[in-house]
Amino acid sequence: MDNPKHFSFLVLLFTVNCLLPTLISTEIKVQQNKDGPFVGVNIGTDVSNLLSPSDLVAFLQLQKITQIRLYDSDPEILKALAKTKIRVIVSVPNNQLIAIGSSNATAATWIGRNVAAYYPETLITGISVGDEILTTIPSSAPLLMPAIESLYSALVAANLHTLIKISTPNSASIILDPFPPSQAFFNQSLTPVLTQLLQFLSRTQSPLMMNLYPYYVFVQNKGVVPLENSLFKPLTPSKEMVDPNTLLHYTNVLDAMIDSVYFSMRNLNVTDVVVLVSETGWPSRGDSKEPYATIDNADTYNSNLIKHVFDRSGTPLHPEITSSVYVYELFNEDLRSPPVSEANWGLFYGNSTPVYLLHVSGSGTFLANDTTNQTYCVANVGVDSKTLQTALDWACGPGRANCSEIQPGESCYQPNNVNNHASYAFDSYYQKEGRSAGSCDFKGVAMITTTDPSHGNCIFPGSKTVSNRTSQVVNTTLASGGGRVRFVGYNLTTLCAVEKVLYLLWSFAPGFVLLFISFRII
């Protein structure tokens, strides 16, 4: 990189796109898990013909699931997890809270039987004390902190307190007035307990567990909260939610919910506790009163959730820290009581066959249940032609998509309309980028599909019939350097993706971008 002008421009790009969010972020102090954010799964057991513990562990390993949360401390499952790399949170069931909260000896016995007996062969990383105690069993709230403190003392006695964190999962309903996030606050009737809890979490560097469900936010606020915002779908700027007090823009409901927790903690003068999303998900089936509990919506939510976590983009308030999440849940719990949706939150049926096929290509190795070996990027339906044309021009220009097949006389020129041409160009760019997260966006005018858009003699780049040829083209392009900007020696996050910066600049000053990409920077 011998041209100082080129280097100065790259420094400017880095400063604007990477440092500015950190400069304007607030003072949260707790460091991100050294391994980065993760996606885990909750495992409920109200399942007929549930896999045996050994088969369950084998299935988790097959699916490359390395983080799980149990709703109890099943000894057989904990034994089966021994000497695996699977990390597990065990739980104190609600019906045991009174006994543990009333007796230090009972708490010590519980730690001995359910934690110390298995650690370190079984990688127990956390204990969740009860589940939504403050809202489901408010009469037990006075015993919550005594139980947590007693369990912690038992961990200290076993010298495990720095290795195993203790927290308690809370319902989103403990927060009042959650949107805009800046005006959110905890239910004041719960303040005494929450203050003690947050002080404990701060002292022990443990996370605040929150069960956050954009599904319920959407269902309870239809007409106010768009479905797209709830499903992490790409949005046009006009559909983004804006906090009028901070001017922060929210592109999805989950980020807004997480930030409402941070603002609520700030109101209690707590700024060093991170949020762990202990439950989130979307039901795949419902009754006639649950029309949005569908396979497509569940697939979209969980696929986009996983990609969102591994993008490590944080939240608008805290872009520097991304919450880890546990998907609710691994299996459909078919023994659950109505409504129908209660039995249909799982990624898999009890026999381990997938309920739907996730689309998480480019998001690490999490979940083998991923069919994105054959996915395509096409134009969204209903987008105006002018907006599509702008995105098409970018894909064929700065995006360096191969658009030769949509030229006059070529196999994909017909039908001669912007929707068809844009779909081909989008898919070309998407495949060229290795179907990476965010490469099928184009400011919200594109979507990922498993339906092959090829027609007649027009074969789209993502089609299996040309997959080998496509792979060769991509490899050749990358090897040649062909105008792509490469950073050597910099570990930049997705916030620093040059393509995103160029895309934004292209919208306002295409001439400037074309001038920039004419340079070959190695």
Side-chain angles (χ1 to χ4, degrees):
M1 191 182 297
D2 53 3
N3 189 320
K5 292 183 179 179
H6 298 176
F7 181 75
S8 297
F9 183 72
L10 288 176
V11 171
L12 175 62
L13 280 179
F14 177 79
T15 302
V16 171
N17 206 36
C18 302
L19 298 185
L20 187 57
T22 301
L23 292 174
I24 65 174
S25 67
T26 50
E27 69 274 18
I28 193 163
K29 302 168 187 174
V30 174
Q31 295 293 317
Q32 178 75 53
N33 182 304
K34 66 179 181 179
D35 298 322
F38 61 81
V39 178
V41 293
N42 290 280
I43 303 179
T45 55
D46 287 338
V47 182
S48 56
N49 301 316
L50 182 66
L51 296 176
S52 68
S54 59
D55 287 342
L56 172 61
V57 172
F59 177 69
L60 293 171
Q61 292 175 314
L62 174 67
Q63 293 296 329
K64 300 181 176 63
I65 295 172
T66 59
Q67 304 273 356
I68 64 172
R69 175 177 166 236
L70 303 177
Y71 288 95
D72 53 21
S73 52
D74 186 296
E76 297 305 316
I77 294 178
L78 292 177
K79 288 177 185 175
L81 287 167
K83 299 181 180 179
T84 69
K85 295 181 179 180
I86 299 171
R87 298 170 182 267
V88 56
I89 291 177
V90 295
S91 299
V92 176
N94 288 354
N95 60 12
Q96 296 182 24
L97 183 69
I98 294 177
I100 291 175
S102 303
S103 168
N104 290 337
T106 301
T109 299
W110 194 94
I111 290 294
R113 289 178 177 174
N114 299 290
V115 178
Y118 304 101
Y119 192 90
E121 286 78 11
T122 298
L123 296 177
I124 298 173
T125 58
I127 302 170
S128 59
V129 183
D131 189 39
E132 301 186 353
I133 291 292
L134 299 181
T135 49
T136 59
I137 318 176
S139 60
S140 297
L143 287 172
L144 179 59
M145 285 313 301
I148 288 176
E149 291 284 7
S150 294
L151 290 167
Y152 181 73
S153 296
L155 285 180
V156 171
N159 200 28
L160 295 174
H161 58 292
T162 61
L163 302 169
I164 299 172
K165 302 299 182 181
I166 300 180
S167 188
T168 182
N170 295 281
S171 164
S173 62
I174 67 171
I175 294 173
L176 303 181
D177 212 3
F179 194 86
S182 62
Q183 68 185 29
F185 59 94
F186 289 122
N187 185 328
Q188 293 182 349
S189 67
L190 303 175
T191 297
V193 177
L194 285 171
T195 299
Q196 295 177 59
L197 173 63
L198 292 172
Q199 290 173 347
F200 170 84
L201 298 177
S202 175
R203 172 165 54 90
T204 60
Q205 295 188 326
S206 303
L208 176 62
M209 292 181 172
M210 295 295 301
N211 297 342
L212 304 178
Y213 288 96
Y215 170 75
Y216 290 122
V217 173
F218 169 72
V219 169
Q220 294 163 10
N221 297 275
K222 281 185 293 184
V224 177
V225 177
L227 182 61
E228 293 91 340
N229 299 61
S230 305
L231 296 174
F232 295 94
K233 285 190 174 182
L235 302 173
T236 58
S238 63
K239 289 189 176 182
E240 292 178 356
M241 303 173 289
V242 181
D243 187 322
N245 301 314
T246 61
L247 300 183
L248 294 173
H249 287 237
Y250 289 87
T251 59
N252 66 82
V253 173
L254 184 65
D255 279 354
M257 297 180 78
I258 292 173
D259 276 356
S260 73
V261 181
Y262 281 124
F263 275 108
S264 298
M265 287 195 287
R266 181 184 294 181
N267 287 334
L268 295 182
N269 298 315
V270 176
T271 58
D272 60 352
V273 173
V274 297
V275 174
L276 171 64
V277 181
S278 41
E279 288 182 13
T280 190
W282 197 284
S284 61
R285 183 169 170 258
D287 58 32
S288 59
K289 296 180 180 179
E290 302 171 299
Y292 296 96
T294 67
I295 282 181
D296 284 345
N297 286 343
D299 188 352
T300 300
Y301 179 81
N302 283 320
S303 296
N304 287 340
L305 167 72
I306 292 165
K307 289 185 284 190
H308 185 66
V309 172
F310 289 129
D311 276 349
R312 301 189 183 196
S313 54
T315 65
L317 180 63
H318 285 302
E320 79 281 10
I321 186 163
T322 300
S323 292
S324 295
V325 304
Y326 286 85
V327 175
Y328 184 82
E329 57 187 329
L330 184 61
F331 298 119
N332 274 350
E333 292 189 90
D334 58 316
L335 301 179
R336 296 294 292 269
S337 302
V340 172
S341 62
E342 278 298 299
N344 290 278
W345 289 84
L347 301 175
F348 298 87
Y349 295 106
N351 63 4
S352 76
T353 59
V355 177
Y356 46 84
L357 299 169
L358 288 165
H359 304 88
V360 292
S361 181
S363 299
T365 58
F366 178 78
L367 277 174
N369 168 27
D370 177 8
T371 59
T372 46
N373 287 334
Q374 191 179 7
T375 54
Y376 312 85
C377 181
V378 296
N380 267 326
V381 178
V383 178
D384 67 272
S385 58
K386 184 177 180 181
T387 303
L388 268 184
Q389 186 65 54
T390 300
L392 168 61
D393 292 342
W394 185 88
C396 295
R400 301 183 63 81
N402 182 355
C403 297
S404 60
E405 293 299 312
I406 54 177
Q407 303 305 312
E410 299 301 327
S411 59
C412 293
Y413 180 69
Q414 296 293 343
N416 179 21
N417 60 61
V418 67
N419 189 283
N420 175 63
H421 291 177
S423 289
Y424 187 92
F426 293 169
D427 191 54
S428 174
Y429 179 81
Y430 174 63
Q431 305 300 332
K432 177 176 73 71
E433 295 299 304
R435 302 186 296 274
S436 63
S439 61
C440 182
D441 184 348
F442 301 96
K443 281 192 172 179
V445 303
M447 67 176 184
I448 294 174
T449 179
T450 55
T451 302
D452 190 346
S454 303
H455 51 274
N457 293 325
C458 175
I459 306 300
F460 269 56
S463 175
K464 276 187 177 180
T465 58
V466 293
S467 59
N468 291 334
R469 187 181 73 184
T470 301
S471 176
Q472 293 167 4
V473 171
V474 172
N475 291 335
T476 301
T477 302
L478 294 175
S480 69
R484 289 177 59 83
V485 178
R486 292 192 294 136
F487 289 87
V488 180
Y490 291 90
N491 182 19
L492 303 181
T493 67
T494 53
L495 286 172
C496 310
V498 174
E499 289 87 347
K500 293 182 180 179
V501 177
L502 292 181
Y503 184 25
L504 290 172
L505 290 175
W506 175 258
S507 300
F508 301 101
F512 180 73
V513 176
L514 288 174
L515 176 63
F516 172 69
I517 64 171
S518 67
F519 299 125
R520 179 181 178 130
I521 302 174
I522 304 300

